[in-house]
Amino acid sequence: MRSDADLVLSGAEEVVLPKTARLNKLRWHCRRALLELDLVFKRYWERVGDSIDAEEESALRALLAEEDHDLWALVSGKVAPDDVDVVRDNLLAELRRP
Amino acid sequence: MSYTVRKFDAVIVGAGGAGLRAAIQLSEAGMKTAVLTKVFPTRSHTVAAQGGVAASLGNSEEDHWHWHMYDTVKGSDWLGDQDAIEFMCRKANECVIELEHYGMPFDRLDNGRIYQRPFGGHMSNFGEKPVRRSCAAADRTGHAMLHAMYQRNVKANTQFFVEWMALDLIRDAEGDVLGVTAMDMETGEIVVFHSKATIFATGGAGRIYYSSTNAFINTGDGVGMAARAGIPLEDMEFWQFHPTGVAGAGVLITEGVRGEGGILRNSQGERFMERYAPNAKDLASRDVVSRAMVTEINEGRGCGPNKDFVLLDITHLPPETIMKRLPGIHEIAVQFAGVDALKEPIPVVPTCHYQMGGIPTNYSGQVVVPKGDNHSAPVGGFYAAGECACASVHGANRLGTNSLLDLLVFGKSAGETAVNDLKGGALAHKPLPNDAIDRSLARVDRLNNQKSGSNPHETRLEMQRTMQKHAGVFRFKDMLVEGVTKIQKVADDVAQLEIGDKSKVFNTARIEALELENLIEVAKATMVSANARTESRGAHVRDDALDTPETPNGRDDKNWLKHSLWSRDGNQMSYKPVQMKPLTVDTIELKKRAY
């Protein structure tokens, strides 16, 4: 049974999925071409579990749209983002935390 | 029961380099082509390939495909088929130039030609001196290649099924391949893809090892599906290892670290490479370094609580040298080893990198199996290319930059052969067998209904640890014998996997369990084939294969110059001859492989 609480809005295409399925989909999108990123995201999900909030979820979805080499450059700190976005920058710091 | 059937001229499984290249060939010939992929095409593991693609363009200095062919045969330790190797090396220039026309942003010389750089094992004039043969796009060659080919496919109307996982091959009573079953991850629905031609381009299965440089998606899905459908697997004992992957993570520490003065040490702090290679020391070749590391670990001089890694020490180097010359290494050590490499050594182990064996094919990309007197009879409607296939061009050991070439040449070749077979009327939509979808439904039903079964995470770890310990970079007779029993026990556990989550939408637990069912076939094939091959050749090195005048470096051409074929049914081994006769030139005769 789907409850309204599951239906957190975070991006138009994701509206219809219940939260558990939506997070599973997001977890799958963390399967990347580079092992480095797979390992970073594995560690991340082990830490946050299902406790990720809507803002962070949205920031993560945006990061996952990056190309893998660019994403690794951001996560490893080799390249800094061109703008300031507190939620995203906190997420990057969290991803970077060993 | 009723189920959805989707009909295509061709179905390609996998959207990395080989799959995308094959799809271009089919779609541009007007064939209705579907590509199934677990992840978005440009997230395929081809992205990780940095070194470049080999082609004897001769843009900077004289080069010739025949020299490239010689290097590849020698690199393969003479296990590569010389017809396929000649084919690949002769087609290299054409395939690279085509790629350039697709928009691939190769690095260039001032005169506008493609820039080429030297790469290990690539020589001019039959092994005389290094030659510049690798064409690259900065350090993002694989990535740029995938983008160029994906765009070309979009233009050609290739139909992508993204986030679909192929489950099983469909064969009829005559053994012909009629397509695959596949699961839409978004809904959990299982559908039949009914095709005239089916091409597997699913990549390698490096995740069978505990320490692997491969991304998590590399689960050998095509190889597992082929094995379950009765296709024997070729030369699965041959896996390329890199000596320095971060222990427990697998992330590569580039050879440049030892080049800049990095030193390998055991638990006693000893620079042990001095004993194994007094001259080259830590800069000895990959196999020598890997073997020394494993010997140290096996003899109890490994580090850490389980004494299962050695240390790569750069603490004596000036911090500014590390940060300037080895950018990224500091961050990798912090992220994946939890150490500050400026102050502490990095734990490392030999790490699985590339699968040389796979689904047996000929150089036309057709999957071939033994049939009567013919050891390589094509399977109707079935083709394979890239790391999942064994053409065999890499034989017992792959040369750097030949993997991207392999996927271009044989992706194109498989596509081209399929187009010819389709146009020539050799292929049709043969009637689906009544049980076309049953095996896949039964696999998923079992996962849904399993009680008191085995835990997928623990079972995967057990498989990976067993493979690492018993069939790693340096192999021992007793360990292999024991490994065969152990991996069968893991396979028994895989047959009883139980998942907690039974939901349908993006059920990642189910997907990972299905992937493990593919990995275990690769693991069994590797262990059994490695145990059976009692010589050393290329990447398969056994301590009991002695270096004698008749068997240089333990290579026993009299008894073992042949391809292994592992059949899932009964865990049986059979063999077929290596094709020593090239297409047009003379055979490159056997000799000791030395650099």
Side-chain angles (χ1 to χ4, degrees), chain B residues 404-425:
Chain B
L404 288 183
L405 179 61
D406 169 357
L407 58 82
L408 283 180
V409 169
F410 295 106
K412 178 179 180 181
S413 179
E416 206 163 51
T417 309
V419 168
N420 291 338
D421 291 348
L422 286 161
K423 283 187 172 167

Side-chain angles (χ1 to χ4, degrees), chain A residues 13-14 16-18 20-43 46 63-73 75-78 95-98, chain B residues 38-39 42-50 139-140 143 147 163 185-186 207 212-219 248-252 328 331-332 334-336 338 457 501 503 505-508 511-512 515:
Chain A
E13 57 146 341
E14 303 297 339
V16 290
L17 286 181
T20 311
R22 212 180 56 238
L23 290 188
N24 274 345
K25 184 171 181 177
L26 203 52
R27 277 195 189 93
W28 185 255
H29 289 176
C30 291
R31 282 267 200 125
R32 310 299 289 196
L34 303 178
L35 176 65
E36 288 86 340
L37 290 169
D38 280 341
L39 292 167
V40 162
F41 285 122
K42 177 170 178 269
R43 185 171 71 192
E46 281 167 2
L63 268 187
L64 291 174
E66 296 283 344
E67 297 293 347
D68 286 296
H69 289 291
D70 297 335
L71 184 51
W72 173 240
V75 170
S76 66
K78 189 172 153 194
L95 291 171
R96 204 174 290 145
R97 189 158 66 89
Chain B
K38 291 194 292 187
V39 296
T42 52
R43 306 265 187 272
S44 304
H45 193 51
T46 304
V47 164
Q50 299 186 342
D139 59 353
R140 295 192 180 187
H143 176 259
H147 271 264
E163 290 164 354
M185 295 184 191
E186 181 94 52
R207 300 304 307 175
S212 170
T213 66
N214 284 198
F216 290 1
I217 43 175
N218 289 27
T219 56
V251 176
L252 270 192
E331 190 58 26
I332 283 176
V334 169
Q335 285 290 325
F336 304 116
H457 174 68
D501 181 1
S503 65
V505 180
F506 270 97
N507 183 334
T508 46
I511 294 163
E512 286 172 6
E515 288 177 330

